Amino acid sequence: MNESRAAVRYAKAILDLSIDNKANDAVEKDMRNLVTTIEESTELQELLSSPVIKGDVKKKALAAIFKGSNAITEGLLSILVDNKRVALLKEVATKYIILNERLKGQDVGYVTTAVPMTGALEKKILTKVTEITGNKVTLENTVDASIIGGFILRVGDLQYDASIANKLNTIKREFTNSL
C-alpha cells in the first residue's frame, strides 16, 4: 500500500475520532507539536525509522517525549507502533493538520523560497492561492537556499514548483535524454 495513502487513512480515522470527542483542536495542537519535534530531532527520526529498535522501546520513548498529549494522540502513537507504521508518524500528523484545516474552511500553504518572502510577495501569493482554492489560506514560509531561486508552493495535495533548481534539473534531464 502506498505510504501516503496509509497516512491519510490514519489521519482521517484520528480526525473522525477527535471530532466525535470534540477534541480536534487539542489533537491538532498535538499534531503540530509532533511535526516540529520530529523535524528538529534527527535522533527521533532515526528512532522512528529504525527496524532494529523494538516496538516497546519506541512506545516508551514516544510516551516520554509526548507526555501530556491528548488521549487520542497517545492512542495514535500506540497504534502506529503496534502496526509497525510508526515511521509514518510525521506524515500522519501533517495530513491530520491539513484535513482539520480544510474542515474549518482553511488551508495551509507551504511556500519554500531561497530567501525570506517580502510582505508584498506574501500578499500576492496569498491572494492567488485563496482565489484558486476558494478557502481561507495561511502561508508558512520555509527558507531553503538549495532551490537557488524561485519558489515551491504546496497547498494540500497540490504542488507548484517554480524553483530554479527544478528548472535546471529539467534541462539536465532533457539534455541527457537527447544524447
Tab-separated table of all heavy atoms in Angstrom, residues 8 14 17 20 49 56 74 85 123:
chain	number	residue	atom	x	y	z
A	8	VAL	N	-2.942	9.045	5.117
A	8	VAL	CA	-4.229	9.740	5.001
A	8	VAL	C	-5.317	8.957	5.724
A	8	VAL	O	-6.156	9.545	6.420
A	8	VAL	CB	-4.609	9.968	3.513
A	8	VAL	CG1	-6.038	10.440	3.374
A	8	VAL	CG2	-3.660	10.971	2.870
A	14	ILE	N	-8.234	9.383	12.857
A	14	ILE	CA	-7.969	10.188	14.063
A	14	ILE	C	-8.830	11.447	14.050
A	14	ILE	O	-9.346	11.864	15.086
A	14	ILE	CB	-6.466	10.530	14.159
A	14	ILE	CG1	-5.648	9.250	14.367
A	14	ILE	CG2	-6.182	11.526	15.258
A	14	ILE	CD1	-6.021	8.462	15.607
A	17	LEU	N	-12.355	10.471	15.033
A	17	LEU	CA	-12.391	10.195	16.470
A	17	LEU	C	-12.313	11.488	17.285
A	17	LEU	O	-13.049	11.667	18.255
A	17	LEU	CB	-11.239	9.257	16.849
A	17	LEU	CG	-11.183	8.759	18.282
A	17	LEU	CD1	-12.444	7.964	18.612
A	17	LEU	CD2	-9.948	7.894	18.480
A	20	ASP	N	-15.651	13.321	17.087
A	20	ASP	CA	-16.633	12.668	17.954
A	20	ASP	C	-16.427	13.036	19.419
A	20	ASP	O	-17.381	13.164	20.172
A	20	ASP	CB	-16.570	11.142	17.798
A	20	ASP	CG	-17.099	10.671	16.449
A	20	ASP	OD1	-17.765	11.482	15.758
A	20	ASP	OD2	-16.840	9.507	16.085
A	49	SER	N	12.382	5.423	12.312
A	49	SER	CA	12.603	4.660	11.080
A	49	SER	C	13.440	3.400	11.282
A	49	SER	O	13.537	2.581	10.366
A	49	SER	CB	13.260	5.553	10.024
A	49	SER	OG	14.525	5.982	10.492
A	56	ASP	N	8.321	-1.874	21.767
A	56	ASP	CA	8.055	-1.405	23.130
A	56	ASP	C	9.006	-0.289	23.541
A	56	ASP	O	8.632	0.611	24.287
A	56	ASP	CB	8.087	-2.568	24.130
A	56	ASP	CG	9.420	-3.296	24.166
A	56	ASP	OD1	10.120	-3.313	23.139
A	56	ASP	OD2	9.752	-3.856	25.238
A	74	GLU	N	-2.087	9.932	22.051
A	74	GLU	CA	-1.353	8.816	22.653
A	74	GLU	C	-1.801	7.486	22.048
A	74	GLU	O	-0.981	6.598	21.809
A	74	GLU	CB	-1.543	8.821	24.166
A	74	GLU	CG	-0.856	9.997	24.838
A	74	GLU	CD	-1.153	10.116	26.328
A	74	GLU	OE1	-1.969	9.330	26.855
A	74	GLU	OE2	-0.564	11.011	26.958
A	85	ARG	N	3.947	0.964	11.769
A	85	ARG	CA	3.801	2.097	10.860
A	85	ARG	C	4.283	3.389	11.505
A	85	ARG	O	3.926	4.476	11.059
A	85	ARG	CB	2.323	2.277	10.478
A	85	ARG	CG	1.750	1.177	9.675
A	85	ARG	CD	2.252	1.245	8.272
A	85	ARG	NE	1.354	0.535	7.380
A	85	ARG	CZ	1.397	0.679	6.081
A	85	ARG	NH1	2.248	1.486	5.533
A	85	ARG	NH2	0.577	-0.001	5.325
A	123	LYS	N	1.564	38.660	0.221
A	123	LYS	CA	0.188	39.096	-0.021
A	123	LYS	C	-0.286	38.660	-1.405
A	123	LYS	O	-1.422	38.195	-1.566
A	123	LYS	CB	0.107	40.616	0.133
A	123	LYS	CG	-1.268	41.146	0.318
A	123	LYS	CD	-1.219	42.623	0.662
A	123	LYS	CE	-2.587	43.112	1.049
A	123	LYS	NZ	-2.576	44.513	1.445
